[in-house]
Amino acid sequence: MPRSEILQLQLENDLLAVDLLSINLDREWLYLIINGSILPSKEELLVLLGEIARLTNTNIHRLKLKYNYWLYQ
């Protein structure tokens, strides 16, 4: 399985616990990420993880560890 698919699956799993309307990001961009049409850049991924952490009361450092490969490659 390509790493891009793994990233998409991880994001999908983390976004299941989130009310997508509560995310303070561009809705079209978020749809393209969820759809798998585009992959976020490192900076975009960090912003998205921050939103996920804020909405789920998850520690941002835990999410950074989970997405370490894509943040620091």
Side-chain angles (χ1 to χ4, degrees), residues 35-65:
N35 188 345
S37 297
I38 61 171
L39 292 176
S41 68
K42 294 175 189 178
E43 295 80 18
E44 292 170 336
L45 180 58
L46 193 55
V47 171
L48 181 57
L49 294 179
E51 282 292 301
I52 293 170
R54 180 181 67 83
L55 294 169
T56 61
N57 293 322
T58 303
N59 189 325
I60 185 68
H61 299 294
R62 178 173 284 162
L63 289 173
K64 283 182 179 179
L65 286 173

